[in-house]
Amino acid sequence: MSGSNRFDFLEIGEAPPTPVPSADGESPSSASYRLVEIVGSHGVALGEFNSPAAVAVDASGCLYVADRYNHRVQKISPDGAVSQLGVPGEQGGQFRSPVGVAVDNRFHLFVLEQGNHRLQHFNPSGLFLHAFGRRGQQLGYLNSPCGLAMDRYNNLTVADTGNSRIQQFHSTGKFLSVIGKSGSDTLGLHKPQAVGVDSEGHLYVADSLNNRLVKLSATGALLWSTSGEQSAVGRLDQPSGVAVTARNTVLVSDTANNRLVECDADGNWLAEIRLRSPGLTPLRAPQGLCVGLHGDVFVADSLNHRVLRFKTT
């Protein structure tokens, strides 16, 4: 990774608490989210982004950002050091529209590319190890994938968007399973764009063009899904990000509604998160989400070309 030290792109402050009204107007059983950090702006320099699509945080607190249209991944340490992985291209270590990042407990990095229809694996020093996946409909192939999640066993779950299905891989690249788009498929996934996984292996799928969130068992059985008949807080419009919090609630990037929505593990809607305070630019097409150290929530605020960090109280 090439590197530089930058602090000027970090805007850290005590912003007013973000309002989190519940669906019924009463006090929700969710946390309160307070914006504490704004990272980045539009551009091509280190620490600047062009439509960031996904975020991940490792055990040391380093932030990884899939800088989609700059065709790179940026790593930002807690002290503000910034380094870049990748340049535009199709070879190993090069990217076309990275849209997913995940870091395992050995600090190995996995990057999902929409443009190259594949996953790449890097060691902790940023050295390319191998790639897997290629464009197609066969098992183990991908078509414009958009979302990546890693479980506690370091298995990788991919929202295979163009194929309207979910695929799971071992970290070595071995194909494990597929959910959706088969002869026995009853889920009816339509361009899913994100997936999250909890500690028990349940999957939460942002089923984007069905405008819903779907919860599946570890084996792919449908447990529940939202619908357009939910309350105002519960109606989703092209969701494209999912993360499971330390409290086992689920955060969804409600992308076309320019907000985040929170529900519990049973699908009961708790709250929404918007930026309405004076002086703060509202969310604009938020996408990837992750939960970092101490339960902090990171959001790829895509069309504002920045990453936001919220603390929970």
Side-chain angles (χ1 to χ4, degrees):
M1 291 188 178
S2 58
S4 174
N5 283 307
R6 289 176 59 98
F7 293 89
D8 57 338
F9 72 93
L10 294 175
E11 303 174 21
I12 304 174
E14 298 293 323
T18 303
V20 284
S22 68
D24 57 10
E26 298 180 357
S27 297
S29 57
S30 69
S32 178
Y33 293 86
R34 181 166 54 87
L35 178 66
V36 295
E37 186 175 14
I38 300 172
V39 181
S41 59
H42 194 198
V44 299
L46 289 181
E48 298 176 339
F49 307 117
N50 189 354
S51 296
V55 285
V57 175
D58 68 22
S60 68
C62 289
L63 172 67
Y64 300 78
V65 182
D67 189 6
R68 185 173 187 169
Y69 294 127
N70 282 327
H71 308 291
R72 64 186 179 183
V73 172
Q74 295 196 64
K75 178 181 178 181
I76 305 170
S77 70
D79 66 2
V82 187
S83 56
Q84 172 179 321
L85 177 66
V87 295
E90 292 76 37
Q91 302 302 313
Q94 299 177 343
F95 301 124
R96 291 290 182 195
S97 299
V99 290
V101 282
V103 187
D104 69 15
N105 50 19
R106 299 179 302 141
F107 297 94
H108 283 236
L109 175 67
F110 297 83
V111 181
L112 180 69
E113 298 172 79
Q114 186 177 45
N116 285 327
H117 315 279
R118 66 182 180 183
L119 276 157
Q120 292 196 61
H121 179 191
F122 299 87
N123 76 4
S125 299
L127 177 68
F128 168 76
L129 298 179
H130 66 99
F132 50 97
R134 57 185 295 183
R135 187 170 191 173
Q137 297 180 340
Q138 300 97 315
L139 296 182
Y141 287 31
L142 302 168
N143 185 5
S144 298
C146 285
L148 177 66
M150 177 178 284
D151 67 18
R152 60 179 178 171
Y153 303 109
N154 295 333
N155 294 320
L156 299 159
T157 301
V158 177
D160 186 9
T161 307
N163 287 321
S164 290
R165 65 188 180 185
I166 303 299
Q167 295 200 72
Q168 294 178 302
F169 299 87
H170 188 270
S171 59
T172 61
K174 179 183 177 182
F175 168 79
L176 297 177
S177 65
V178 63
I179 301 169
K181 273 296 183 185
S182 68
S184 60
D185 175 34
T186 59
L187 291 176
L189 297 175
H190 191 191
K191 308 297 185 186
Q193 290 207 19
V195 62
V197 59
D198 67 17
S199 59
E200 297 179 356
H202 298 124
L203 300 178
Y204 298 86
V205 180
D207 191 12
S208 185
L209 294 193
N210 281 325
N211 300 312
R212 64 177 181 167
L213 177 68
V214 177
K215 182 177 181 179
L216 307 173
S217 72
T219 58
L222 176 65
L223 299 179
W224 52 255
S225 74
T226 63
S227 73
E229 301 305 314
Q230 294 280 352
S231 67
V233 171
R235 293 193 188 101
L236 299 174
D237 192 351
Q238 300 178 41
S240 64
V242 183
V244 180
T245 73
R247 297 173 297 104
N248 209 36
T249 63
V250 183
L251 285 171
V252 183
S253 287
D254 190 9
T255 303
N257 282 324
N258 297 312
R259 65 178 180 174
L260 309 180
V261 175
E262 184 177 27
C263 69
D264 66 21
D266 295 318
N268 300 307
W269 295 100
L270 301 175
E272 66 171 4
I273 302 169
R274 296 183 185 267
L275 296 182
R276 290 173 169 156
S277 301
L280 290 178
T281 302
L283 291 166
R284 190 176 174 209
Q287 294 189 6
L289 298 165
C290 75
V291 178
L293 302 179
H294 315 298
D296 289 1
V297 173
F298 293 80
V299 182
D301 189 11
S302 181
L303 293 188
N304 282 323
H305 311 288
R306 63 187 184 179
V307 174
L308 306 180
R309 178 167 65 96
F310 293 89
K311 278 197 172 295
T312 59
T313 56

